[in-house]
Amino acid sequence: MDTIGSQPPLVTPDTWEQREMRDALAARDISTVYRLLRRVGVSQRQIAASTGQSQSEVSEILKGRQVMAYDVLARIADGLQVPRGYMGLAYDGATAVRVVGVADDPLSEEDESVKRRRFLQHAASVTMGVVSMPGDPGQWITSVAQTPAREKIGKTDVMQVEAATKALRALDYQYGGGTCRDAVIAQLSWAEQLLRADAIDPVRRRLRLALADLHSLAGWTSFDTGMLDPARNHFGKALEYAKQCEKNDLVANILYRMGRVYLHYDEPNDALKLFQLGQLAAQDSGSALTVAVLCANEAWAYAMMGMREQAMKMVGRTKDEFARADFDHAPEWVRFFTVNDLHGMIGSVHHSLAGNDDFRAKHAPLAVAELVKCTQGYESDMKRTHVFGLSMLAANHIRSGDVGEGLRVGRVAYSMGEGVNSVRVADRMIDIQQESERYKHIAEAKDLAEEVRQFRIRTGSPQKRP
């Protein structure tokens, strides 16, 4: 049986050398690539057969749907027999595995619910100290690049890893994971080689912590670009490194982040389990601020499940833990959680409750009150988070009956969101789209809903709630 990439080429090699085609490939503009192929006589059926896509998928891409997932881009390049370098996909073997995942991994075909359950089992085993480390890293990440390792490292080498992670995280916050994920992966390829070098124990421990943080960032940027399986892989590895170093606050951080992944994909029950697991590590860390972050996210999960009483109880506990937090001695990762973010999280809880028609009248105005305080405090270096807050604020202005203000804020969120390379930004704008569509008899509301819808198509966001 023929497989993708084994068929005779659809076009002659010089097709890929044409300037318009080269520009489209470099921009990963698959819609234009397919249109250019159609222009030279290649049918939709032939494209579908070569790339492993359905004809309906090919049709949607021809109409403008953007392709962002690395594994899909790689499959298209291989199927069409495009030199990978023309699409910026020329990774070495180990980096390709980190970016895409193992092609023949039996987990790749498993149902998503099975994958979530498997990750939860792994997280519980690591957090509770069942997994033996160091040792075989298992299925989360394959071997590092086979390049010569340095013979000896010191504190300065680890500080370079930490500095790079900090700089890349700043790019992620401001411009989205799509702007820096490849750089994070490349940094991982280099940094993991340092484990082979000789080092005194304190340096080696600090390196493992740095790698845990870098893998966590790789997971977060993967999530932000819509790559769920690589995100889970990196978080799994980050969790192992953090637990190996007995760094409970970092374990809590990683579990919090993976829980947020599941919240985004509308799986609050699984997210809640990870938050509760993270809560154990947070309490062991002795940091009230870390506990507050986990409580706030548990509240959000309960709200998404429609469990208002439990959600509000956890909001109360969040406030209590926040009030007694020692900010001067809090772990570095959790210092982002200022009073501004406290309002943002409480606003998110009310926002989710207001999505329920039974709770809308009470919680939409409460969401507005909290989110106004939240959005006033964001600086330009937190653009993505600012868009999230504005999107929820716009939706709840409309839910509260202040349609004009909701549309005004929604327009600001949309304009700002176009400058952030993040699938999540487009995903989170679905509330603006849906609430605006309720008032499509108003020209401005109809226009905003359609513009957001088109924006979400361009970024590959699902047209239903993710």
Side-chain angles (χ1 to χ4, degrees), residues 317-395:
R317 187 178 172 197
T318 300
K319 293 178 179 178
D320 292 342
E321 296 291 346
F322 186 85
R324 70 184 189 86
D326 181 355
F327 289 87
D328 292 335
H329 298 94
E332 184 173 355
W333 81 266
V334 80
R335 292 179 188 175
F336 78 91
F337 198 72
T338 62
V339 66
N340 187 57
D341 294 275
L342 176 67
H343 288 305
M345 284 301 302
I346 296 173
S348 298
V349 172
H350 289 301
H351 167 76
S352 290
L353 290 171
N356 185 317
D357 288 341
D358 293 335
F359 303 150
R360 178 183 297 257
K362 178 175 182 178
H363 288 278
L366 294 173
V368 168
E370 295 291 340
L371 292 166
V372 164
K373 299 173 187 175
C374 164
T375 56
Q376 289 174 343
Y378 284 127
E379 303 293 338
S380 60
D381 60 348
M382 296 290 285
K383 186 180 292 186
R384 180 180 57 204
T385 308
H386 196 180
V387 176
F388 290 164
L390 288 171
S391 297
M392 291 188 291
L393 179 59

Side-chain angles (χ1 to χ4, degrees), residues 20-93:
E20 190 175 3
M21 180 65 83
R22 286 294 296 272
D23 289 344
L25 291 170
R28 299 181 182 178
D29 182 357
I30 305 304
S31 179
T32 297
V33 171
Y34 284 4
R35 284 199 296 271
L36 292 172
L37 289 175
R38 295 284 291 115
R39 189 183 300 172
V40 296
V42 180
S43 68
Q44 289 189 36
R45 181 187 62 78
Q46 288 173 307
I47 295 173
S50 296
T51 61
Q53 297 174 298
S54 66
Q55 290 194 50
S56 62
E57 287 178 295
V58 172
S59 177
E60 289 176 7
I61 292 171
L62 281 165
K63 291 176 182 177
R65 195 189 85 184
Q66 189 173 0
V67 179
M68 297 184 66
Y70 184 98
D71 54 343
V72 178
L73 289 168
R75 191 171 74 239
I76 289 171
D78 293 343
L80 297 176
Q81 300 185 34
V82 178
R84 280 193 170 204
Y86 288 9
M87 294 173 64
L89 305 176
Y91 292 98
D92 61 46

Side-chain angles (χ1 to χ4, degrees), residues 70-119:
Y70 184 98
D71 54 343
V72 178
L73 289 168
R75 191 171 74 239
I76 289 171
D78 293 343
L80 297 176
Q81 300 185 34
V82 178
R84 280 193 170 204
Y86 288 9
M87 294 173 64
L89 305 176
Y91 292 98
D92 61 46
T95 306
V97 167
R98 289 197 181 90
V99 177
V100 186
V102 185
D104 58 356
D105 185 348
L107 294 182
S108 62
E109 299 300 323
E110 285 185 328
D111 182 81
E112 172 59 25
S113 63
V114 176
K115 294 178 183 179
R116 290 198 305 271
R117 187 165 61 250
R118 189 182 294 273
F119 183 88

